Amino acid sequence: MAWLKHSLLIALSTMLFACGGDGSVDLSGGGNGGDSGDSGGDNGATPTAAIGIGLYSCPDDIDTAVIPVGCEQTNTVPSDSDTYVVVTLSNSTSIVNELVNLSTTSAELDAETILIGANGVGQTTMRARSGATNADAVTATYSYTNSGDDSTTVSASENYQVQINSGNGGQNTLQLALYDCNGVARDQIPAGCSTANSLSIESPLTAVARLSYTGGTPAANELVSLATSNADLSAETILTNQQGLAIATLFAQLETTGADSITASNDDLGVNATANYQVGQANLNMELSSSLANGETLGSDATASFSATITDGDGNLYTTPIAIAFSSSCSTQDLADISDSVTTVNGVATAIYQATGCSGSDTITVTPASALSTHKTTPSI
């Protein structure tokens, strides 16, 4: 049983070494220094010594005796949670009870010197410093003297990216700008857009929030909240992309004019930003048409379609969706059925009408969810 346990410890040490960086040296012609393990093979040659290092993200309730089991390897070091630095030391077997020095600049180490345990593994934690640079490396160094009194040093390094989650603003930044991105592909926003602050029904604005950690590192996969009063947003909460950008479209409300502002914020990082815009007067027209020919009478239980078409000041179909309410005199008396509300698609909203007891004539009323004028038509039934 003791042999089995010893074998498992060697396998664990080998696995950890494979995960991290490594440095090694051939210690030929002498014995081991310290408790570094077996004396080696034939002719007194000492096996190669190796040091490995890896970074791990572990649950808060992790049993430190089993680390890195139960953890995930990472190369991101946040400022508000611990990242475990795991070091392995071995030659042909695990090297135990030896001291290893750790060093780095952009993170605070809980211990700069660690003891390699009975399984050939040692660990400590570190957190990114608040004034850290974008990226850095943590280095583990082991020095000893071999049987020939020669001083030997092996080292290994692991690179990492700092992530400043200060929670109180710190040096995290959030920038907000408004653009005219009409006809620009989403992956070209905002590079292919022009700055703008004039919002109208015909010309929506694109809001681009840029979130960064300390040092300018893009803050990816963070939530940005947007809020404004005089316009509609395509989304009020957006996840930043790998460039730290959160992108939304700002639509003018047809019944609203005047100036307003839009605010972007991230509560976790304690940052916010504001951009101002002006809402211009709507210049839209709506026409109502029917599938019934002029003077045609709709038969009992037959159906007809009524379409509301919205165009801009140049006569082009207005492609921004608008909710259109349809009603009729008979439908309010349960003598006809008509689609209650239809949203325009490429400027057109179509409702289906069916008389279910209405006779003579009925008045169809079309009302947009805006300041556009209400339209009516009266088909014969």
Side-chain angles (χ1 to χ4, degrees):
M1 181 61 73
W3 178 86
L4 175 60
K5 180 179 180 181
H6 186 62
S7 298
L8 289 175
L9 292 176
I10 293 172
L12 176 60
S13 176
T14 303
M15 176 192 71
L16 291 174
F17 172 68
C19 292
D22 68 278
S24 62
V25 62
D26 184 5
L27 307 179
S28 59
N32 286 340
D35 297 320
S36 58
D38 297 336
S39 60
D42 296 336
N43 302 321
T46 302
T48 300
I51 187 170
I53 185 170
L55 300 177
Y56 293 85
S57 175
C58 304
D60 293 339
D61 58 352
I62 189 73
D63 180 359
T64 56
V66 303
I67 291 174
V69 176
C71 304
E72 293 185 2
Q73 198 161 10
T74 183
N75 287 97
T76 299
V77 177
S79 62
D80 59 351
S81 61
D82 289 331
T83 298
Y84 281 82
V85 184
V86 179
V87 177
T88 60
L89 196 60
S90 65
N91 44 33
S92 60
T93 63
S94 299
I95 300 176
V96 301
N97 297 324
E98 291 291 312
L99 297 178
V100 171
N101 294 319
L102 297 172
S103 62
T104 189
T105 301
S106 299
E108 187 78 32
L109 287 160
D110 185 55
E112 294 183 354
T113 302
I114 60 174
L115 181 68
I116 300 299
N119 60 349
V121 179
Q123 51 87 11
T124 188
T125 60
M126 68 178 184
R127 293 190 179 199
R129 299 180 188 274
S130 60
T133 55
N134 291 350
D136 202 353
V138 57
T139 300
T141 304
Y142 171 58
S143 300
Y144 63 97
T145 302
N146 63 24
S147 60
D149 292 329
D150 294 325
S151 178
T152 302
T153 299
V154 291
S155 65
S157 297
E158 184 75 353
N159 298 328
Y160 64 87
Q161 176 74 52
V162 301
Q163 177 175 299
I164 306 302
N165 299 333
S166 64
N168 59 4
Q171 299 181 44
N172 303 314
T173 59
L174 178 62
Q175 299 172 314
L176 180 64
L178 299 176
Y179 297 89
D180 178 1
C181 299
N182 184 34
V184 177
R186 189 172 182 83
D187 61 359
Q188 296 299 312
I189 296 174
C193 308
S194 57
T195 57
N197 62 3
S198 180
L199 177 67
S200 68
I201 293 297
E202 298 88 345
S203 301
L205 289 174
T206 300
V208 179
R210 186 185 301 271
L211 185 62
S212 303
Y213 298 125
T214 297
T217 306
N221 299 316
E222 296 279 1
L223 293 177
V224 172
S225 298
L226 298 174
T228 190
S229 298
N230 288 352
D232 294 324
L233 291 162
S234 59
E236 294 182 351
T237 303
I238 306 166
L239 190 68
T240 57
N241 61 20
Q242 293 302 308
Q243 289 74 47
L245 301 181
I247 302 172
T249 303
L250 201 61
F251 299 102
Q253 297 171 349
L254 294 176
E255 67 276 17
T256 304
T257 58
D260 197 4
S261 62
I262 177 174
T263 300
S265 61
N266 179 289
D267 292 338
D268 291 337
L269 301 182
V271 290
N272 61 74
T274 300
N276 299 325
Y277 63 89
Q278 177 74 38
V279 183
Q281 181 66 46
N283 184 24
L284 298 180
N285 301 301
M286 183 173 70
E287 295 182 358
L288 179 60
S289 60
S290 170
S291 62
L292 296 173
N294 189 27
E296 181 181 355
T297 299
L298 182 65
S300 178
D301 293 327
T303 60
S305 62
F306 293 87
S307 296
T309 301
I310 298 178
T311 56
D312 60 23
D314 296 325
N316 301 313
L317 290 172
Y318 180 63
T319 57
T320 300
I322 296 177
I324 306 292
F326 290 83
S327 63
S328 80
S329 301
C330 286
S331 66
T332 60
Q333 304 174 52
D334 294 329
L335 297 176
D337 293 325
I338 191 169
S339 308
D340 293 334
S341 180
V342 181
T343 300
T344 59
V345 177
N346 292 326
V348 180
T350 300
I352 303 301
Y353 174 91
Q354 181 180 28
T356 57
C358 187
S359 62
S361 63
D362 194 3
T363 300
I364 310 298
T365 303
V366 179
T367 306
S370 67
L372 288 173
S373 301
T374 298
H375 284 233
K376 297 182 180 181
T377 187
T378 305
S380 299
I381 301 172

